[in-house]
Amino acid sequence: MKNARDTFDILFENGRIGWIDRDGQQPSLSSSFQRIHEEWKERSDDELESFVLGLQAGMPVAAGGVARSPEARTEGGEKVYLSVRRERDPKLRDDAVALHGLDCMACGFNFGRMYGAFGEGFIEVHHVVPLAEAGKSLTDPVTDLNVLCANCHRMAHRQRGVCLTLDELKAHLRSGTPS
Ligand SMILES: [Zn+2]
Ligand SMILES: [Zn+2]
């Protein structure tokens, strides 16, 4: 549902930015999305609400041809969400890597060791306090940034609105059963 909202933000003057591509531009909508927008923009909020509630309840919805068609789900485009972008200040990234190294601070994974020269130097930088919470604030790379492999970084952000601490992440790691 949130993805859908981000995709359609370009059509509304609601102050939200939604999806942007790597150049910071809002991509234009695919023709199927545009068709859905055209079809729905004249309808009442009540109609929209009952449609959405129907979807939520997993019920088959009869809503004038707006079915859940596979073509309405676009994936794999050059989409980078704004909050993820903000985490990548190049200077802070360099500082974090210089301080914390290239091994994942949760699981120890090292991209260079696993992928050879191709993976050398790769690691993701994670804000201990999400920027959205911290607002515009100074970031101290010693205390405010972690370096995490892509898997651990995803796990840290897995629950919406929750950001796991390094200790929480490690505790979950240990609870798994490595083969
Ligand atoms: Zn890791
Ligand atoms: Zn993060």
Side-chain angles (χ1 to χ4, degrees):
M1 195 59 71
K2 178 166 183 309
N3 282 0
R5 192 182 67 187
D6 292 335
T7 303
F8 285 92
D9 274 332
I10 191 173
L11 297 165
F12 298 97
E13 285 170 17
N14 57 7
R16 286 175 43 81
I17 294 165
W19 292 113
I20 51 173
D21 63 21
R22 290 192 192 283
D23 302 320
Q25 300 296 310
Q26 291 173 312
S28 54
L29 287 179
S30 68
S31 58
S32 58
F33 280 172
Q34 240 148 15
R35 204 181 61 229
I36 291 169
H37 177 66
E38 288 302 315
E39 202 168 328
W40 276 93
K41 69 179 180 186
E42 306 300 340
R43 299 196 191 187
S44 71
D45 286 354
D46 287 347
E47 220 179 331
L48 184 59
E49 188 185 347
S50 62
F51 177 76
V52 170
L53 289 175
L55 279 180
Q56 227 172 15
M59 277 147 54
V61 275
V66 184
R68 286 194 282 171
S69 69
E71 67 168 335
R73 295 159 193 237
T74 307
E75 283 191 309
E78 294 272 303
K79 290 181 197 164
V80 180
Y81 199 67
L82 195 58
S83 59
V84 178
R85 256 177 111 75
R86 277 202 297 199
E87 217 165 42
R88 292 184 190 150
D89 180 314
K91 171 81 171 82
L92 284 174
R93 187 200 177 279
D94 292 348
D95 290 347
V97 170
L99 280 159
H100 302 299
L102 290 164
D103 291 353
C104 173
M105 287 166 77
C107 76
F109 187 93
N110 179 291
F111 284 89
R113 271 201 303 277
M114 188 61 84
Y115 294 97
F118 187 71
E120 207 61 63
F122 186 87
I123 194 73
E124 295 193 0
V125 173
H126 165 71
H127 274 263
V128 174
V129 178
L131 285 185
E133 254 171 61
K136 215 175 183 183
S137 58
L138 273 181
T139 300
D140 178 350
V142 181
T143 52
D144 301 337
L145 298 179
N146 285 340
V147 295
L148 295 175
C149 74
N151 278 349
C152 290
H153 198 184
R154 278 298 180 94
M155 286 296 108
H157 290 286
R158 181 165 189 206
Q159 284 173 295
R160 193 170 171 188
V162 178
C163 179
L164 298 185
T165 65
L166 200 51
D167 285 338
E168 286 169 334
L169 203 51
K170 286 178 177 171
H172 285 301
L173 260 173
R174 282 193 294 269
S175 74
T177 43
S179 53

